[in-house]
């Protein structure tokens, strides 16, 4: 039995479709059900759906053998898991953005609004730039508009929200997409099964 954690929502639905397409279909799965766990004893697979930010926790703690999680969450939380494959879905970028007329006044710490606190700290530490982090959980774009921050560190998909609010990207930190991660103990004891899954997923991704 291989236990797979998926994020609730559109990304999880797409990930399940990809996994089902390469031989990991779960006969018990019903997308309209409110159940959280689906097991297929004959197929040797079980799935459960959790909040996207929690997938890596379930994998790290061994409740799941593998899981699908965004690169943004991996970089922010630094879970103790193996990152095995890039599924090339849910693609976007982690960026620094600010008002279009912004310039960096290096005489004082840079005020950075973000929910990705660790990502921001690591990025600016490499640049040797002193920052003041303002942690927000939503509507990050509002911070520079209201003068609360100089810049934001956030995920950018199309850039439409930025443009509509007179903001633009000043730097791209790293590309974001869904990744397959594995629990370290499971990778050791279910190595053949997990590597087989990785191969099938990589073949599927390369054929797209």
């Amino acid at each position: 039995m291989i236990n797979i954690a998926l994020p609730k929502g559109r990304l999880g639905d797409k990930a399940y479709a990809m996994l089902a397409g390469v031989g990991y279909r779960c006969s018990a799965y019903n997308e309209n059900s409110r159940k959280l766990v689906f097991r297929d004893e004959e197929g040797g697979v079980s799935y459960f759906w959790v909040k996207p930010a929690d997938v890596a926790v379930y994998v790290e703690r061994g409740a799941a053998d593998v899981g699908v999680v965004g690169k943004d969450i991996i970089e922010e939380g630094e879970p103790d898991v193996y990152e095995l494959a890039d599924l090339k879905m849910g693609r976007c970028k982690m960026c620094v953005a600010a008002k279009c007329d912004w310039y960096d006044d290096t005489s004082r710490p840079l005020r950075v609004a973000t929910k990705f606190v660790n990502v921001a700290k690591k990025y600016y530490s490499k640049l040797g730039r002193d920052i003041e982090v303002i942690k927000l959980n939503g509507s990050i774009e509002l911070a520079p508009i209201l003068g609360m921050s100089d810049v934001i560190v956030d995920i950018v998909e199309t850039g439409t929200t930025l443009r509509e609010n007179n903001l633009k990207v000043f730097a791209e930190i790293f590309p974001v997409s869904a990744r397959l991660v594995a629990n370290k103990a499971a990778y050791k004891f279910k190595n053949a099964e997990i590597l087989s899954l990785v191969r099938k997923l990589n073949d599927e991704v390369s054929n797209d």
Side-chain angles (χ1 to χ4, degrees), residues 58-134:
Y58 280 90
V59 174
E60 181 178 13
R61 295 279 181 167
D65 300 317
V66 298
V68 174
V69 62
K71 183 64 172 177
D72 54 320
I73 295 171
I74 295 172
E75 289 293 326
E76 177 64 19
E78 298 183 330
D80 188 23
V81 297
Y82 292 132
E83 183 181 330
L84 301 179
D86 183 353
L87 304 184
K88 310 287 188 184
M89 60 174 66
R91 289 196 242 193
C92 47
K93 296 174 182 176
M94 184 70 71
C95 296
V96 176
K99 293 170 71 173
C100 292
D101 61 356
W102 171 75
Y103 74 96
D104 190 2
D105 178 3
T106 56
S107 68
R108 59 173 176 79
L110 184 70
R111 296 172 301 161
V112 182
T114 185
K115 66 178 178 180
F116 298 100
V117 173
N118 291 330
V119 167
K121 287 180 177 178
K122 285 186 288 185
Y123 175 71
Y124 282 106
S125 176
K126 289 178 182 177
L127 297 179
R129 184 71 170 93
D130 289 333
I131 65 171
E132 174 193 347
V133 174
I134 302 165

Side-chain angles (χ1 to χ4, degrees), residues 17-194:
M18 176 182 280
L19 287 157
V22 296
Y24 295 85
R25 185 176 301 280
C26 179
S27 60
Y29 176 58
N30 177 355
E31 64 181 14
N32 297 316
S33 171
R34 298 183 72 88
K35 283 180 61 178
L36 299 175
V37 180
F38 298 91
R39 296 176 64 85
D40 187 335
E41 298 289 347
E42 189 174 326
V45 63
S46 73
Y47 287 94
F48 57 92
W49 275 256
V50 299
K51 285 187 176 182
D54 291 339
V55 170
V57 179
Y58 280 90
V59 174
E60 181 178 13
R61 295 279 181 167
D65 300 317
V66 298
V68 174
V69 62
K71 183 64 172 177
D72 54 320
I73 295 171
I74 295 172
E75 289 293 326
E76 177 64 19
E78 298 183 330
D80 188 23
V81 297
Y82 292 132
E83 183 181 330
L84 301 179
D86 183 353
L87 304 184
K88 310 287 188 184
M89 60 174 66
R91 289 196 242 193
C92 47
K93 296 174 182 176
M94 184 70 71
C95 296
V96 176
K99 293 170 71 173
C100 292
D101 61 356
W102 171 75
Y103 74 96
D104 190 2
D105 178 3
T106 56
S107 68
R108 59 173 176 79
L110 184 70
R111 296 172 301 161
V112 182
T114 185
K115 66 178 178 180
F116 298 100
V117 173
N118 291 330
V119 167
K121 287 180 177 178
K122 285 186 288 185
Y123 175 71
Y124 282 106
S125 176
K126 289 178 182 177
L127 297 179
R129 184 71 170 93
D130 289 333
I131 65 171
E132 174 193 347
V133 174
I134 302 165
K135 187 177 188 329
L136 296 175
N137 296 304
S139 300
I140 311 293
E141 297 86 359
L142 200 56
I145 294 171
L146 299 181
M148 190 169 75
S149 77
D150 301 305
V151 302
I152 62 174
V153 169
D154 202 11
I155 289 173
V156 175
E157 191 169 357
T158 64
T160 301
T161 303
L162 294 179
R163 289 190 295 272
E164 290 183 352
N165 288 284
N166 195 35
L167 305 173
K168 72 174 186 179
V169 171
F170 279 82
E172 294 180 2
I173 302 177
F174 55 80
V176 174
S177 58
R179 310 298 169 98
L180 183 79
V181 298
N183 173 270
K184 289 188 171 181
Y187 186 78
K188 178 180 179 181
F189 293 108
K190 298 184 180 181
N191 187 259
E193 297 96 316
I194 291 174

